Amino acid sequence: MNILVVGGAGYIGSFISRELIEKGYHVTVFDNLSLGHRAAVGRDISFVEGDLADRSALDALFRSRDFDGVMHFAAFSAVGESMVDPLAYYGNNVANTINLLRAMKEGRVNRFIFSSSAAVFGNPREVPITEDHPRDPINPYGEGKSIVERVMRDADMAYNLRYVSLRYFNAAGASPEGDMGEDHRNETHLIPLALKAILGEDAGGGTLRIFGDDYDTPDGTCIRDYIHVLDLADAHVLALEHLLKGGDSDIFNLGNGKGFSVAEVVKTAEKVAGKPVPAIKADRRAGDPPILVAGSDKIMEKLGWNPVFPQLEAIVETAWKWHASHPKGYAP
Ligand code: UFG
């Protein structure tokens, strides 16, 4: 089976590519390397450098190979940045996704796994958040993901596109061996920033800013549901198998069902690393909901998903192993 992984040189896409190879699939990665790393793409993977904005490159890609399915990870993913530059987010995360769907339609490929997000829900009305919770995004990042869910639904009705939309909560962690992990040029995520703050300048770390301590949560800091990137990878393979078996389009939330505050994450980082995280209190970050916790029963029941790293400490331990051994990420 041939699977196209768009954005497979990035954090989540590279893990899923490796998981697919381990499961016996042939993987082609299409990535423009604007944010991803060539070194994150394994040697057993065909690599095509290209951009989703380039429709002729996409058409050539679909003419060159028969793909059994497509997974799409080539998106911008910083909520704060999406508030500052919404057009960049709608352009890349919505318009370029439509280019990909159009090329799939022309190439007669109709199985699609989409990286959606908890950000489609905005400020939740209740937690844990189940799939039927209303979508009401409060930032352009989440709005873009929500629009694509609508586009996929319509494309299914019109052209039989079969899709699975996986709404990740907070992806985190690295390979237990410490050879693959998170390496964003402009890191914005809490766990890598806390660990880099411990490692200091050598790892590009500085003082961690805690964005808001006056939220309506027990300790005043935001609560999130962290999910290990390998558990995400498993969910993608299960979603692909579901479509390959002829399953219908579906949407699943993906988290561990347990929320941790920013202060608790900082404490866990300190415990794992055995060193304090240099941190200061800062203003709230625009676009941040106070609490996001997943209800993931649906994917467990329907696809048999069962996380291997449900504990925050285990997630942070793998991330620490990666950052401590790769202070400059994938750079040599
Ligand atoms: N935070 C800080 N200081 C930092 C960075 C983050 O206090 O330097 C806080 C944030 O305010 C937030 C929490 O840590 O309360 C987690 O922030 P992240 O940036 O790590 O991740 P987000 O919660 O913003 O993640 C959201 C959605 C995901 C989505 C992701 C995209 O929950 O579904 O954005 O990056 F995929």
Side-chain angles (χ1 to χ4, degrees), residues 170 190-191 194 208 210-213 215-226 258-269 289-293 312 316:
N170 286 62
L190 178 62
I191 292 177
L208 179 74
I210 295 184
F211 294 137
D213 65 349
Y215 284 98
D216 186 15
T217 59
D219 65 23
T221 64
C222 285
I223 293 177
R224 293 288 181 273
D225 181 345
Y226 295 88
K258 198 162 166 17
F260 293 92
S261 71
V262 173
E264 286 171 324
V265 171
V266 169
K267 252 188 242 145
T268 306
I291 174 161
L292 290 171
V293 177
L312 178 66
V316 175

Side-chain angles (χ1 to χ4, degrees), residues 251-324:
I251 297 184
F252 299 99
N253 291 356
L254 260 182
N256 281 307
K258 198 162 166 17
F260 293 92
S261 71
V262 173
E264 286 171 324
V265 171
V266 169
K267 252 188 242 145
T268 306
E270 291 178 332
K271 183 172 172 211
V272 166
K275 290 180 196 151
V277 174
I280 51 162
K281 288 176 183 163
D283 290 343
R284 291 181 177 197
R285 186 173 68 177
D288 274 346
I291 174 161
L292 290 171
V293 177
S296 297
D297 289 357
K298 184 178 168 189
I299 190 163
M300 290 177 165
E301 282 160 20
K302 221 170 159 180
L303 301 189
W305 181 68
N306 189 15
V308 176
F309 297 93
Q311 287 95 12
L312 178 66
E313 194 167 323
I315 295 174
V316 175
E317 269 168 13
T318 61
W320 173 243
K321 190 162 177 187
W322 158 255
H323 288 293

Side-chain angles (χ1 to χ4, degrees), residues 91-175:
N92 192 38
N93 294 7
V94 179
N96 285 350
T97 302
I98 292 171
N99 282 349
L100 175 60
L101 291 172
R102 195 180 280 136
M104 285 176 63
K105 176 174 166 276
E106 297 294 311
R108 297 179 190 284
V109 180
N110 79 334
R111 298 184 194 98
F112 187 57
I113 312 288
F114 178 64
S115 306
S116 187
S117 170
V120 300
F121 298 113
N123 288 317
R125 294 168 204 182
E126 57 202 13
V127 286
I129 306 170
T130 54
E131 286 75 6
D132 49 11
H133 185 287
R135 287 179 306 187
D136 191 9
I138 56 166
N139 51 60
Y141 171 75
E143 191 70 63
K145 296 287 181 183
S146 182
I147 292 169
V148 173
E149 287 196 350
R150 214 34 59 99
V151 170
M152 293 188 297
R153 183 199 62 182
D154 294 344
D156 186 352
M157 285 194 287
Y159 337 107
N160 286 326
L161 172 80
R162 292 290 183 264
Y163 67 89
V164 173
S165 187
L166 296 173
R167 293 169 173 159
Y168 317 156
F169 281 60
N170 286 62
S175 66

Side-chain angles (χ1 to χ4, degrees), residues 59-81:
D59 290 339
L61 178 68
F62 279 90
R63 275 196 304 270
S64 72
R65 243 155 280 194
D66 285 330
F67 294 111
D68 299 286
V70 176
M71 298 195 180
H72 176 31
F73 305 94
F76 295 149
S77 66
V79 168
E81 191 180 66

